Every structure is written in structure tokens, then in C-alpha cells.
Amino acid sequence: AIRRQRQMCIRDRAIYERSGVSYLRSRAGTKGQTGQADTGNEPTHVTGRRIRMGTEGLPQKSFERNMNHNYMILGRCDFFDKSQNETDYRVRMLLDNKINGLLPVSHRMINGESKYYYEINSLQSMDRVYAKDELDHQQLCSLLKGCIRLYDALEEYLLDGSQIILKPEFIYLNMDSLEPYFVYYPYYENDARDSFAAFIEDLLRKVDHTDEQAVMLAYQVYRYTRNQNYVLNEIMQMLQNVPENHQEVNEVKQDIICKDCLLYTSDAADE
């Protein structure tokens, strides 16, 4: 069944890319030559076949709570009509499958507004959890592993990470298992590699600097993601090979310092 669904979505993706572009361009044209469209929300930018939101274009969120469910709601005026929504393979994959690492989501059209309801029962947002507390080694590993496993899972459903909002206020944690859950929002798009690198910078600022293992891991990953050709499998290897004693920590520190010195010397020579 999954194979048939993937084949259908490959076909639908081609239809979506052919039909969606002209519609987006026609809507963007209503705002003149500025490349902006009236969404009823913060500005978006039309780039090629998709709508790209800048960092200032994060979706506005609201919450709905009742006796059985707690929802975070992301919504905006819909660019696509009903037929085009149905041919967006990303939406179909998101709504028709339970993808490990993503918040469960449902979609509703209310007064012409497209709303995505993300279930956050018994979860806490990352920005609230670490507003005062700091990340120790175990918590850091859990966040990184959860993020990497999510990107691996997305590939199975023909999705990439460009619609994942890697911001602390959109990441929710199970406080018992420390497992993170992420938001996949079809109307959001950012460069997946840049988003992940920026996420690592956020984690680096939240790390408990009295936890040597956490500091070393965070800095190793941060330093590695400065390379534009980084791959997530290498980061997973780092998680499995974190130094466990003071001597190993000092050896890694010295290795990082030496490599940074070589990098600085090389950059200076190029200049």
C-alpha cells in the first residue's frame, strides 16, 4: 500500500509542480513587481515553484484546548484551491501517514483559511522547558538523535526537511522520555541545511557549560556543520563516540584547537 501511495504521489508531485506555478505567479502578480503576495499573514516570497518564508515569516500560532485534546494551530489564507491542495503530494503524505518524530496533524478549512491542527497532548515546548534550565549531555543527544532520525524517516515518504520548522517554540518534548517532536508545515519553506545549522547554534547557547561532555559534543557538531558539505550520518557517529572521561575530553579539546588553528592559518593565507 505504501508503494502504491508513493507511486501516486510521484505522479501528483509532477502535476502539482506544473499546475501550482502558474497559480502562484498569478497571485504574486497582484502585488505588482515586488514578488510578494497578500496572505493575510507575514510576507512570503515566491521562488520558483514554491512559496518561501524568511525567518521573519514564521507562521502565527494559536492554541485550542478541550477535555480530550490540546492543539497548536497554524493557519493562513490558502493560496491553493481545493483541487490544487489535493494534488500537493506533500500534504497527502503528511495527512495520510503517521511519521515518527512529527507531531500528529489534521487539516481543516475554516472560512477560507487553511488550518493545521497539531496535537500536543502532554508535551512541552522546547523554548519553555529550556527558558531557565540548560541542556545536559543526555538531553542534547536526545534532541540531535530525534532530529536526525526524523530526516531519515522523511526520505521514506518522498519529503525533505525544508518544511520542518527548527525553532525551539515549534519543537515539543515528551518530558518522560525526552523525545522531541517536530512541526512539518506545508506552507513553510527554508533551506534544510541552513535551518539545521542554525538549530545547532541555538543548542550551543542552551548547553550546560558545567557539563563537559555536553559542551564538547555541542561544539563538535557546531564546528562540523560550518562545513557546507556536512552529512547527518557523520553527526550520528559523533553522538556514538563522545569522550567519557576527563583525559579523552582534553584530547578532543586539543584536537579541535589544533584544527581551528590550521583553519585560521589557511584562511589567512588565502586572504
Side-chain angles (χ1 to χ4, degrees):
I2 292 177
R3 183 180 300 174
R4 288 198 302 271
Q5 187 179 44
R6 292 182 67 181
Q7 291 173 345
M8 291 175 61
C9 286
I10 290 173
R11 180 201 64 193
D12 292 343
R13 175 166 59 180
I15 297 172
Y16 161 73
E17 291 179 346
R18 288 197 302 268
S19 62
V21 183
S22 58
Y23 183 80
L24 289 177
R25 287 176 177 169
S26 66
R27 290 298 300 266
T30 63
K31 296 292 289 184
Q33 302 300 320
T34 62
Q36 294 185 353
D38 184 11
T39 66
N41 206 331
E42 297 191 35
T44 60
H45 307 281
V46 177
T47 59
R49 291 189 172 107
R50 296 179 181 177
I51 303 171
R52 178 177 297 276
M53 289 186 179
T55 55
E56 74 285 354
L58 291 174
Q60 295 181 357
K61 59 182 178 178
S62 59
F63 297 89
E64 180 177 304
R65 298 176 175 89
N66 56 45
M67 296 299 294
N68 297 315
H69 298 281
N70 292 322
Y71 294 108
M72 177 183 68
I73 305 170
L74 304 182
R76 52 159 245 183
C77 294
D78 197 359
F79 268 74
F80 300 101
D81 61 22
K82 182 177 179 181
S83 62
Q84 287 171 315
N85 247 330
E86 291 175 349
T87 60
D88 188 343
Y89 79 100
R90 295 172 298 175
V91 174
R92 290 183 55 183
M93 279 296 191
L94 177 65
L95 299 178
D96 293 346
N97 297 280
K98 183 178 180 180
I99 303 176
N100 291 333
L102 291 183
L103 288 172
V105 60
S106 59
H107 178 253
R108 306 177 191 177
M109 288 294 297
I110 301 175
N111 296 326
E113 186 175 5
S114 177
K115 293 188 175 184
Y116 286 82
Y117 283 66
Y118 297 86
E119 195 163 314
I120 55 173
N121 299 342
S122 303
L123 303 177
Q124 293 289 330
S125 64
M126 179 180 166
D127 64 332
R128 177 171 295 184
V129 172
Y130 297 114
K132 296 181 180 180
D133 296 334
E134 295 179 320
L135 281 164
D136 61 23
H137 176 252
Q138 181 184 3
Q139 294 165 333
L140 179 61
C141 285
S142 179
L143 278 170
L144 291 174
K145 287 180 180 178
C147 191
I148 293 171
R149 288 168 181 163
L150 171 63
Y151 281 108
D152 289 339
L154 291 177
E155 290 185 358
E156 299 179 11
Y157 297 92
L158 303 177
L159 301 172
D160 59 28
S162 58
Q163 282 78 45
I164 299 294
I165 307 180
L166 282 180
K167 298 292 182 182
E169 61 268 32
F170 291 94
I171 298 172
Y172 280 77
L173 305 176
N174 181 317
M175 298 308 297
D176 293 328
S177 64
L178 299 179
E179 185 177 1
Y181 293 88
F182 300 88
V183 169
Y184 188 102
Y185 186 52
Y187 292 131
Y188 176 84
E189 183 165 348
N190 215 334
D191 184 275
R193 303 179 69 84
D194 291 344
S195 293
F196 185 80
F199 178 58
I200 297 302
E201 288 188 37
D202 287 339
L203 294 183
L204 189 62
R205 297 187 187 98
K206 298 178 183 297
V207 164
D208 181 359
H209 290 277
T210 64
D211 187 331
E212 285 193 330
Q213 285 186 322
V215 172
M216 292 307 303
L217 175 60
Y219 186 72
Q220 278 185 292
V221 175
Y222 167 74
R223 182 178 176 276
Y224 177 63
T225 53
R226 291 172 61 191
N227 176 3
Q228 294 183 351
N229 297 319
Y230 74 85
V231 292
L232 295 181
N233 288 338
E234 291 291 334
I235 297 176
M236 186 64 81
Q237 289 294 324
M238 294 179 190
L239 297 175
Q240 298 170 356
N241 298 313
V242 175
E244 297 182 353
N245 56 55
H246 188 71
Q247 180 180 354
E248 290 179 344
V249 168
N250 287 335
E251 289 175 356
V252 173
K253 283 182 178 178
Q254 189 62 36
D255 180 59
I256 290 174
I257 291 171
C258 291
K259 289 180 178 178
D260 279 348
C261 287
L262 290 174
L263 180 63
Y264 175 80
T265 303
S266 174
D267 290 343
D270 291 341
E271 291 177 358

